[in-house]
Amino acid sequence: MKKRGILNAELARAIAALGHMDVFLIGDAGMPIPHGVPVIDLALCGGVPSFEQVMNAILDETVVEYYYLAEEIVEKNQHLLNFFHESMPGIESEMMPHIDFKKCAR
């Protein structure tokens, strides 16, 4: 039985299957996900686990080569923007409008 790291079997399996240049999305409960797109729901109740807790657990087990953010994060959530920059220093990123970000979820 696994006792460290990500214990959620679906999430651990998805992370283990990642390869170079694969893309995955980490979103909050409000992120619209089209039908047919695989979802691993980690929510227990509102805000639990927090977005940062999920990100930290995933960052402990993955190599991030590049990441995308919605442009609106600059004005809407400076705290989270700082979290990304501090958590992944030196990793290239790209911003796009939220509407385009949602399209990428397909």
Side-chain angles (χ1 to χ4, degrees):
M1 177 169 90
K2 188 173 182 191
K3 70 178 192 173
R4 286 191 184 85
I6 293 177
L7 302 178
N8 180 290
E10 284 182 87
L11 184 55
R13 188 173 9 291
I15 289 171
L18 289 171
H20 287 289
M21 305 305 291
D22 282 348
V23 177
F24 64 96
L25 172 75
I26 302 170
D28 62 13
M31 184 69 184
I33 305 297
H35 292 289
V37 173
V39 174
I40 301 170
D41 189 345
L42 302 175
L44 178 62
C45 60
V48 179
S50 71
F51 188 88
E52 289 92 341
Q53 287 173 318
V54 172
M55 279 294 301
N56 283 330
I58 290 172
L59 289 172
D60 281 347
E61 298 202 16
T62 60
V63 174
V64 176
E65 298 171 315
Y66 194 89
Y67 65 95
Y68 300 91
L69 297 171
E71 291 174 347
E72 290 78 359
I73 195 171
V74 174
E75 289 190 20
K76 304 270 185 187
N77 199 335
Q78 191 67 45
H79 169 78
L80 194 55
L81 179 62
N82 292 339
F83 171 81
F84 278 105
H85 292 310
E86 291 168 10
S87 298
M88 297 179 281
I91 298 175
E92 289 186 53
S93 63
E94 181 178 332
M95 292 196 174
M96 65 181 75
H98 192 260
I99 192 78
D100 293 339
F101 193 81
K102 290 192 292 188
K103 289 177 187 174
C104 288
R106 296 183 197 151

